[in-house]
Amino acid sequence: MTMKLFLQEVLNDARVILRDSWAALIRQKGWVLCFLVGVAVVTAFVLPHDQALHRRLTADRVEALVRISNKYRRWGDFRDTVVITAFVLAAGAVWRRRSWRTAAVACFLSACLAGLAVNAVRFTAGRPRPSAEMPDGFYGPTFKYRMQSFPSGHAATSTGNAVALAIALPGAGIPVLFLSASGVVWASVYSRTHYVTDVGVGAMVGVLFGVVVGIVTRRLNKQRGETG
């Protein structure tokens, strides 16, 4: 396969996945709304206890775990999505498995969609990070890093990437879900970068896009007669 044909195939897969994912979200808008309302209700319940919960979870940190959490944070800064996507895409090219290449496209798109959705809220909510040492609250639109705690972009992209891959290509996605995404979610709290609700909402946004994109991709591969 030439590079031109390879890129055309990847771009076509991306177009089809985006189109079908959007159609699936519209078809299931009732369930999507229920899911989002559920997340909002749970968040509203936990939010008043967030600071106390955060202090309890990070009160007696182990220095070795702090170093690990910082490394996971750097890994979750979208480089996890890029590396995982590139690895699965390359494996699909080497072993000539289009279903693998399609799964790679899916996990990348899911992470991007989750990240865009979360950032739309994060830049407007203006919640201080735990390390900001400010009274908790929502201060409104800002571009200051210390005021962009809610929701967690790392949790959203890492979870969106892993969930989509776990559904589209379970053999690769399930280890990624447990070893990468769950680690990023934990590290975001343990490193004192986010509150529990920040990572919870971010992860749930990732789950939403990951499930939709993953199912669409799995169906697409089945229609083509391809399996993982």
Side-chain angles (χ1 to χ4, degrees), residues 3 5 7 11 23 29 127 135-136 139 143 157 162 169 188 193 201 204 228:
M3 180 58 68
L5 183 59
L7 291 175
L11 290 174
K29 57 182 177 294
R127 186 186 194 187
D136 192 20
Y139 290 77
F143 288 105
T157 56
L169 194 65
S188 295
T193 311
V201 172
M204 287 300 99

Side-chain angles (χ1 to χ4, degrees), residues 1-7 9-10 93 96 98 101:
M1 178 185 291
T2 64
M3 180 58 68
K4 181 179 179 181
L5 183 59
F6 176 79
L7 291 175
E9 190 177 87
V10 168
R96 298 181 181 179
R98 186 172 183 180
R101 301 196 297 271

Side-chain angles (χ1 to χ4, degrees), residues 97-100 168-170 218 221-222 224-228:
R97 302 293 294 271
R98 186 172 183 180
S99 61
W100 295 9
L169 194 65
R218 192 172 181 86
N221 284 334
K222 283 185 177 181
R224 292 170 173 169
E226 300 167 350
T227 61

Side-chain angles (χ1 to χ4, degrees), residues 121-128 137-143 147-148:
V121 178
R122 194 160 62 96
F123 288 112
T124 56
R127 186 186 194 187
F138 295 96
Y139 290 77
T142 178
F143 288 105
M147 301 293 289
Q148 296 174 7

Side-chain angles (χ1 to χ4, degrees), residues 67-208:
R67 290 195 295 269
I68 293 171
S69 70
N70 288 332
K71 289 181 180 179
Y72 257 110
R73 280 281 300 167
R74 289 192 291 273
W75 166 249
D77 192 15
F78 209 70
R79 71 188 66 186
D80 57 336
T81 293
V82 172
V83 170
I84 291 164
T85 298
F87 181 81
V88 177
L89 197 63
V94 171
W95 279 284
R96 298 181 181 179
R97 302 293 294 271
R98 186 172 183 180
S99 61
W100 295 9
R101 301 196 297 271
T102 307
V105 173
C107 72
F108 183 80
L109 290 177
S110 178
C112 289
L113 292 171
L116 288 171
V118 160
N119 282 330
V121 178
R122 194 160 62 96
F123 288 112
T124 56
R127 186 186 194 187
R129 296 181 185 273
S131 58
E133 298 182 352
M134 292 175 58
D136 192 20
F138 295 96
Y139 290 77
T142 178
F143 288 105
K144 295 179 180 179
Y145 172 80
R146 67 191 182 98
M147 301 293 289
Q148 296 174 7
S149 189
F150 179 88
S152 167
H154 285 63
T157 56
S158 295
T159 307
N161 155 27
V163 170
L165 190 59
I167 294 173
L169 194 65
I174 292 175
V176 168
L177 186 61
F178 284 101
L179 298 176
S180 179
S182 61
V184 171
V185 168
W186 161 77
S188 295
V189 174
Y190 201 79
S191 63
R192 293 180 176 169
T193 311
H194 285 287
Y195 293 106
V196 171
T197 53
D198 300 334
V199 298
V201 172
M204 287 300 99
V205 172
V207 167
L208 174 61

